[in-house]
Amino acid sequence: AQSVAQPEDQVNVAEGNPLTVKCTYSVSGNPYLFWYVQYPNRGLQFLLKYITGDNLVKGSYGFEAEFNKSQTSFHLKKPSALVSDSALYFCAVRENSGNTPLVFGKGTRLSVIA
Amino acid sequence: DSGVTQTPKHLITATGQRVTLRCSPRSGDLSVYWYQQSLDQGLQFLIQYYNGEERAKGNILERFSAQQFPDLHSELNLSSLELGDSALYFCASSAERSSYNEQFFGPGTRLTVL
């Protein structure tokens, strides 16, 4: 069975500093990995995905994520955080074969302090 | 704006009642997914429809049912409502020719059961 772990419920970072939101996953085969962001009272917005190829994936709003197969991780990063990045971030995984559903982590609340 | 619409935005009802939530996918998307988001359970996949047919089932209770109509809109029916059904219900859509397509989420319906 697929699973995703986001070990931090909350991440606090000062504006202008780099940020990292952690995600580890478990699948039987090869993964498709996704990051979504949820702003208050809004639906989830797609940020980026890893399908295959380059382990460093670039996405919306300056975010990027690094796929690490040996560590089964897909951490979300941004070189310089903005106050407007404050939101709830979800990592999600599905297997790249068959019709398996997308499984989400519990989410990490990012708070960027001015 | 993701292009996915959901109605109503808010719904307040009593225990034992039945409600219907509606979702219109992005233009051209054949797959519709339903999710339940609650504080204690996180984001849970309920069910997926593809071009009118049920494709995958997640943690959906027997009291809940869904369907996708020929015009591709979908409805989620929740019956014999309990207090614990209070949650945000999201619909998402994707092209779903391949499982690596990202899903686009609607703004959600907030259900409150009193």
Side-chain angles (χ1 to χ4, degrees), chain B residues 43-59:
Chain B
L43 197 64
Q44 298 281 318
F45 167 69
L46 295 178
I47 197 164
Q48 177 200 355
Y49 278 81
Y50 177 77
N51 204 19
E53 296 199 0
E54 182 184 304
R55 195 157 190 214
K57 231 173 182 176
N59 300 321

Side-chain angles (χ1 to χ4, degrees), chain A residues 4 6 21-23 33-39 42-48 74 76 87-93 102-109, chain B residues 37-38 41-44 90 105:
Chain A
V4 175
Q6 293 181 243
V21 183
K22 294 180 182 176
C23 171
L33 292 153
F34 303 80
W35 275 101
Y36 287 82
V37 60
Q38 185 179 24
Y39 297 100
R42 303 283 294 275
L44 277 70
Q45 293 179 36
F46 168 74
L47 275 180
L48 50 80
F74 190 56
L76 181 70
L88 189 57
Y89 289 81
F90 290 94
C91 180
V93 68
L102 195 58
V103 174
F104 285 84
K106 292 234 178 250
T108 297
R109 188 163 298 282
Chain B
Q37 186 180 33
S38 59
Q41 293 291 322
L43 197 64
Q44 298 281 318
F90 287 108
F105 282 75

Side-chain angles (χ1 to χ4, degrees), chain A residues 6-113:
Chain A
Q6 293 181 243
E8 301 151 320
D9 291 336
Q10 172 98 26
V11 169
N12 298 318
V13 64
E15 188 176 30
N17 282 3
L19 70 87
T20 298
V21 183
K22 294 180 182 176
C23 171
T24 58
Y25 67 90
S26 174
V27 295
S28 307
N30 291 316
Y32 292 146
L33 292 153
F34 303 80
W35 275 101
Y36 287 82
V37 60
Q38 185 179 24
Y39 297 100
N41 302 312
R42 303 283 294 275
L44 277 70
Q45 293 179 36
F46 168 74
L47 275 180
L48 50 80
K49 66 182 178 184
Y50 171 80
I51 304 302
T52 188
D54 195 348
N55 289 342
L56 186 63
V57 178
K58 293 191 185 296
S60 308
Y61 313 120
F63 284 94
E64 57 189 31
E66 186 163 14
F67 171 63
N68 187 317
K69 188 170 184 177
S70 62
Q71 296 187 3
T72 61
S73 67
F74 190 56
H75 301 331
L76 181 70
K77 300 182 181 187
K78 187 173 181 180
S80 177
L82 300 172
V83 171
S84 57
D85 292 330
S86 299
L88 189 57
Y89 289 81
F90 290 94
C91 180
V93 68
R94 70 188 306 185
E95 287 192 40
N96 70 350
S97 61
N99 185 34
T100 57
L102 195 58
V103 174
F104 285 84
K106 292 234 178 250
T108 297
R109 188 163 298 282
L110 173 68
S111 181
V112 181
I113 304 152

Side-chain angles (χ1 to χ4, degrees), chain B residues 25 30-32 49-53 66-70 72-74:
Chain B
L30 299 179
S31 251
V32 169
Y49 278 81
Y50 177 77
N51 204 19
E53 296 199 0
Q67 53 185 327
Q68 187 179 27
F69 295 86
L72 300 178
H73 91 271
S74 177

